[in-house]
Amino acid sequence: MKIKYILCYPILASILLLACSAPRMVNLDPITIVENSKGALVYRGSYTQTTDIINTRLDLSFDWDSAYVIGKATILAKPYFYPSDQLVLNANGFRLNSVSLVNGDDMKPLRYTYNGKLLTISLDKIYTRDQKYTIFIDYVAMPNKLKVGEDIASAGDRGIYFINRDGKDKGKPRQIWTQGETECNSNWFPTINGSQEKMTQELNITVPNEFVSLSNGTLEFSSMNGDGTRTDSWRQEQPHSTYLTMLAVGDFVITRDTWRDKEVSYYTEPAYASTAKLVFGKTPEMMEFFSNKLGIEYPWDKYSQIVVRDFVSGAMENTTASVFFEGLNMSEGQYLDENYEDIIAHELFHHWFGNLVTAESWANLPLNESFATYGEYLWDEYKYGRDQADLKGFEDMSVYISNKRKPEPDVIRFDYSDREQMFDEISYHKGGRILHMLRKTVGDEAFFESLKLYLNRHTYKTAEIHELRLAFEEITGMDLNWFFNQWFLASGHPVLSIQNSYDPLKREINVNIRQNQNLSETPLYRIPMAIDIYTGTKVERKEIILERQNQSFIFPSLSPPDLVNVDAEKYILAEKNEVKNMQEYIFQYQNAPLFMDRIEAIMKLKDMKEEAAARKVMVSAFKDKNWFVRHTALSVIENLSDDERKAVHQTLQDLATKDKVSQVRAAAVEKLGKYYRMTDNREVFDQTAKDKSPIVIRATTAVKK
């Protein structure tokens, strides 16, 4: 699942004011969560498996007026290990008509008890783990009658939603869609909650003839019922977790695509069918890239993506049928400002990490969400280069660092008060950055070979964090307990003070690094890293391991260095306080190779704008290859002298009309309107007023007032 965080991350808000006008996720009803008291004995382990659901068949129709699901469930199951004479199912707020044992063509009524949430069925005998049985349940699910705070935690937990069911809102289509994560699917069909339960499934969905349906797997056939309805039969033969079961119904146009020999399709409202391929058209390329990168071909029968109204999250990775919030209903202009490729890549990567191999408990959720977040980085790296990927990594780190919580939870945590707490910046953003550090620690080849082993070993099964570690240790031959213990199984992050000095008598460089995090709450970290030493035209890399609270590293050097670049690969998730002067930051911007080198230097020089040399470098960054660096550098305009402003006027006009990124064009328009009122920009503004980008048009309208 992708929780769409506000686009303007707190640490970047002052830089991206205009970019904040892009679409955002809708606000949901708040969930009240009581924090664990200090010292409370809470352990949220994996759910005990007493029954194994092998297959679920659902025959479904809908009462739109009442928002009822009229269902018949046929469940093939067996005891998980120990013999059992009962089946316990989650079924929240149902009206039960009958519960029977299926024996060939016969139905044998069974005794059961039901408390409104748990359905306990007494079987006809004791079954062993080698004996299967089939249960038939005739029921009505009533999700809109579930009471917030009593039956469900929030209105976002109903599981199935009837949108504009009476058709009175002329600006909104009638739709039905589901959202199962975490444990909401039991609000519309009887099942076993939790990520640990995997099954195959068949859904026979009866809908009005004018609507289309979507579910997991493939559409086997459709049957016309002669009463204005049609029944679509969907089947998925590969097992997946019960929370990943989905359906959607509505007036959608299906735009068809292919990857290799598999169907790829995009379900959109008719008004947005013309831009469906613009928005989703990179999906086959993503499938090819992820398949090749992981060494495991996309493992499901098809892949569909659907955009619905009033969705309760950013998106959801239901197996073979991801659901997206209405922000992906886009015009060509809106696509220029925010294309949501990160969400599309995120949900697709889940089809390996989360769907093929699923976290066995909510405590292990980062095995799903950290990987999906890192899938966004991998896609950007492949498609747009490391600069753009490192911007993604920078944003993820900023989201995590800026959300300070006391106490901060572990990444893999067994003491959450509510499982929804797991869906946070730690499971997503921090976890994604930890995976990047793991990649840098073991190297690219070992990283992807380890992922391949992990996926192959646990295909269509569940896993926990230790099984990921064991896969890495088997491939690399290394003991990686230290890495997993300090990053995945602990809280916090390093807080580093870094400074260097040169001793001309000894001809030595001394690099001192101190770990300042609270060691009573946070580990003393072991951090392998590189230090690049620049002297003239020469750069020399030194590999070190930081493992003490206060540690110095001595390097011989015949002359004073121009720059000592600690964490040269810029991959460490840490707060860093580094002592450098203006000339060192200027040298870093002009000579160090990475996006993170340049943005770090520009953001420091931004605080030195009273210095002419710093302003000069920031002006040169107007032409940086990365749009975010260009955007950040534009803040120097307010500190330029009259002569300096005149010198960059043409450059600013070019940025406003020609830059490839709409956020930069809009920022340049805003600067022209604010700081060049006495100059003639009418021709530029006439041109930007016709820009395809909504945020550029809004910026132009604002400066013309």
Side-chain angles (χ1 to χ4, degrees):
M1 181 163 59
K2 178 69 171 181
I3 300 174
K4 186 60 184 175
Y5 282 79
I6 189 169
L7 293 175
C8 307
Y9 305 114
I11 199 171
L12 310 179
S14 62
I15 302 171
L16 283 179
L17 292 176
L18 285 167
C20 290
S21 59
R24 305 173 188 181
M25 190 183 109
V26 296
N27 290 323
L28 305 181
D29 293 344
I31 299 174
T32 301
I33 294 173
V34 179
E35 292 289 346
N36 298 333
S37 60
K38 189 171 183 178
L41 296 177
V42 175
Y43 178 73
R44 308 292 189 189
S46 304
Y47 294 164
T48 299
Q49 294 180 264
T50 58
T51 299
D52 182 19
I53 295 178
I54 300 166
N55 178 266
T56 295
R57 168 178 166 161
L58 299 175
D59 294 275
L60 304 170
S61 60
F62 309 98
D63 184 330
W64 287 76
D65 293 334
S66 301
Y68 287 178
V69 179
I70 302 165
K72 293 177 174 58
T74 306
I75 299 172
L76 175 65
K78 69 179 186 65
Y80 185 78
F81 183 82
Y82 297 104
S84 176
D85 62 356
Q86 71 174 17
L87 169 64
V88 180
L89 298 171
N90 299 101
N92 198 14
F94 288 12
R95 184 173 69 227
L96 296 172
N97 298 323
S98 67
V99 177
S100 305
L101 178 74
V102 179
N103 186 7
D105 294 330
D106 297 328
M107 294 280 193
K108 178 181 180 181
L110 295 176
R111 290 184 294 110
Y112 63 88
T113 60
Y114 180 55
N115 65 5
K117 293 187 177 182
L118 284 180
L119 171 60
T120 303
I121 303 170
S122 298
L123 302 175
D124 63 326
K125 66 176 185 178
I126 296 174
Y127 288 81
T128 69
R129 63 181 178 272
D130 298 320
Q131 295 176 305
K132 300 174 184 177
Y133 55 84
T134 301
I135 300 297
F136 175 82
I137 303 170
D138 188 334
Y139 69 95
V140 177
M142 300 168 283
N144 281 23
K145 288 191 174 183
L146 297 174
K147 296 178 180 179
V148 174
E150 184 177 328
D151 302 312
I152 53 177
S154 77
D157 291 334
R158 296 195 185 280
I160 189 165
Y161 297 82
F162 290 74
I163 305 303
N164 192 25
R165 66 180 191 267
D166 58 9
K168 290 181 179 179
D169 187 343
K170 300 306 179 185
K172 184 177 290 187
R174 299 174 73 211
Q175 296 176 350
I176 302 173
W177 48 261
T178 62
Q179 165 56 18
E181 195 174 32
T182 51
E183 299 180 4
C184 304
N185 273 345
S186 58
N187 296 337
W188 61 278
F189 71 92
T191 191
I192 295 177
N193 284 337
S195 59
Q196 78 292 337
E197 186 58 40
K198 295 208 170 199
M199 65 180 190
T200 60
Q201 67 180 56
E202 303 164 64
L203 266 68
N204 301 312
I205 308 169
T206 298
V207 299
N209 284 337
E210 66 268 23
F211 287 165
V212 300
S213 72
L214 175 64
S215 188
N216 314 93
T218 57
L219 180 62
E220 295 288 293
F221 56 87
S222 295
S223 303
M224 304 304 292
N225 299 321
D227 60 356
T229 68
R230 181 189 74 254
T231 299
D232 293 339
S233 297
W234 295 86
R235 179 190 298 269
Q236 179 168 291
E237 295 184 344
Q238 301 112 313
H240 70 160
S241 293
T242 57
Y243 75 87
L244 293 166
T245 297
M246 72 81 67
L247 66 81
V249 175
D251 181 14
F252 297 102
V253 172
I254 306 173
T255 301
R256 301 193 184 277
D257 212 336
T258 58
W259 173 75
R260 297 187 184 178
D261 60 346
K262 295 184 178 183
E263 173 194 339
V264 178
S265 53
Y266 320 126
Y267 287 63
T268 59
E269 295 173 29
Y272 298 97
S274 63
T275 56
K277 271 210 171 180
L278 175 67
V279 175
F280 293 105
K282 294 186 180 71
T283 300
E285 186 180 359
M286 288 183 184
M287 296 170 75
E288 184 71 17
F289 166 64
F290 288 146
S291 295
N292 292 334
K293 195 71 173 175
L294 296 170
I296 296 175
E297 183 177 318
Y298 174 79
W300 308 97
D301 290 336
K302 69 103 165 62
Y303 189 46
S304 300
Q305 295 168 101
I306 187 168
V307 184
V308 302
R309 294 292 188 100
D310 300 341
F311 196 52
V312 294
S313 185
M316 180 61 205
E317 67 275 10
N318 307 298
T319 310
T320 78
S322 292
V323 180
F324 295 85
F325 83 120
E326 63 196 71
L328 280 86
N329 284 331
M330 282 187 271
S331 66
E332 290 185 25
Q334 289 170 320
Y335 183 81
L336 292 174
D337 296 339
E338 174 55 81
N339 59 34
Y340 291 116
E341 266 186 45
D342 58 343
I343 299 184
I344 294 170
H346 183 107
E347 306 313 324
L348 175 58
F349 207 59
H350 265 309
H351 280 72
W352 288 265
F353 296 93
N355 297 10
L356 180 63
V357 179
T358 310
E360 73 168 27
S361 67
W362 301 121
N364 282 276
L365 181 73
L367 287 175
N368 296 359
E369 297 301 346
S370 298
F371 272 106
T373 301
Y374 196 52
E376 302 171 37
Y377 181 95
L378 293 174
W379 169 252
D380 278 350
E381 183 181 38
Y382 159 77
K383 185 66 177 176
Y384 304 108
R386 182 171 175 180
D387 246 42
Q388 185 62 27
D390 282 348
L391 170 56
K392 161 67 183 165
F394 174 56
E395 291 172 343
D396 284 346
M397 184 171 68
S398 299
V399 169
Y400 162 66
I401 294 290
S402 65
N403 280 278
K404 295 184 181 297
R405 291 197 278 168
K406 296 293 182 181
E408 182 179 322
D410 298 344
V411 179
I412 304 296
R413 69 202 89 143
F414 297 90
D415 59 351
Y416 56 81
S417 294
D418 187 285
R419 59 184 174 269
E420 302 303 327
Q421 289 177 318
M422 292 298 303
F423 295 83
D424 61 8
E425 74 283 354
I426 293 172
S427 291
Y428 288 74
H429 305 87
K430 182 182 183 181
R433 290 292 82 204
I434 291 172
L435 290 172
H436 188 62
M437 289 189 291
L438 181 57
R439 176 184 173 187
K440 290 294 182 180
T441 298
V442 302
D444 270 24
E445 183 178 4
F447 181 77
F448 291 106
E449 282 297 317
S450 299
L451 297 188
K452 182 179 178 181
L453 175 62
Y454 168 79
L455 291 170
N456 276 325
R457 182 169 286 168
H458 304 289
T459 291
Y460 302 119
K461 299 177 183 177
T462 60
E464 60 179 334
I465 191 65
H466 301 295
E467 287 162 318
L468 180 68
R469 173 180 58 82
L470 291 171
F472 271 84
E473 290 184 342
E474 183 169 331
I475 291 296
T476 64
M478 301 164 60
D479 184 331
L480 290 168
N481 268 295
W482 63 271
F483 184 95
F484 280 76
N485 286 345
Q486 72 185 21
W487 288 113
F488 283 112
L489 298 171
S491 63
H493 54 270
V495 179
L496 306 179
S497 293
I498 305 167
Q499 61 183 104
N500 68 83
S501 60
Y502 180 74
D503 187 331
L505 297 179
K506 294 182 179 180
R507 294 188 174 183
E508 290 178 343
I509 299 168
N510 184 314
V511 180
N512 179 261
I513 308 176
R514 182 178 178 85
Q515 298 193 44
N516 294 320
Q517 64 272 13
N518 184 345
L519 296 181
S520 67
E521 300 176 351
T522 306
L524 178 66
Y525 288 88
R526 180 177 189 266
I527 308 174
M529 72 174 82
I531 298 177
D532 282 352
I533 299 173
Y534 291 78
T535 308
T537 58
K538 180 182 176 183
V539 57
E540 188 174 0
R541 175 158 291 190
K542 306 291 186 180
E543 301 287 349
I544 67 164
I545 297 178
L546 176 67
E547 53 190 351
R548 297 199 296 271
Q549 188 173 6
N550 190 4
Q551 197 166 353
S552 292
F553 303 89
I554 308 297
F555 307 108
S557 179
L558 296 177
S559 58
D562 294 299
L563 175 67
V564 176
N565 196 8
V566 177
D567 182 22
E569 283 294 319
K570 295 292 182 288
Y571 75 94
I572 298 170
L573 179 62
E575 293 181 72
K576 291 187 276 190
N577 179 21
E578 192 164 6
V579 179
K580 291 180 187 175
N581 60 39
M582 182 180 68
Q583 290 303 321
E584 288 173 308
Y585 280 120
I586 290 173
F587 187 93
Q588 179 173 318
Y589 176 77
Q590 294 174 339
N591 294 276
L594 303 179
F595 160 79
M596 285 299 298
D597 293 314
R598 302 196 312 281
I599 193 61
E600 179 184 280
I602 286 298
M603 293 183 79
K604 291 294 184 180
L605 293 171
K606 186 169 169 278
D607 297 331
M608 306 174 185
K609 287 183 285 192
E610 69 281 358
E611 299 290 341
R615 296 197 301 273
K616 182 178 180 181
V617 173
M618 291 192 70
V619 167
S620 72
F622 291 176
K623 298 182 180 180
D624 194 277
K625 65 181 180 179
N626 185 277
W627 75 267
F628 188 79
V629 176
R630 299 195 298 274
H631 194 291
T632 304
L634 284 172
S635 66
V636 78
I637 294 292
E638 63 186 80
N639 292 86
L640 297 181
S641 67
D642 289 343
D643 287 343
E644 287 171 331
R645 282 185 187 162
K646 289 178 183 177
V648 300
H649 184 213
Q650 183 60 53
T651 300
L652 205 58
Q653 289 183 321
D654 289 343
L655 287 173
T657 57
K658 299 177 183 177
D659 197 277
K660 293 181 179 179
V661 177
S662 60
Q663 283 85 353
V664 177
R665 298 199 301 277
V669 168
E670 186 267 335
K671 299 300 182 186
L672 285 170
K674 188 173 182 179
Y675 298 107
Y676 292 83
R677 292 185 181 276
M678 305 306 293
T679 57
D680 185 3
N681 293 300
R682 285 177 297 178
E683 187 175 337
V684 171
F685 293 154
D686 287 344
Q687 186 172 341
T688 58
K690 300 174 185 176
D691 199 291
K692 291 182 179 179
S693 160
I695 65 169
V696 176
I697 294 171
R698 285 197 294 270
T700 305
T701 301
V703 301
K704 280 186 169 184
K705 289 182 179 178

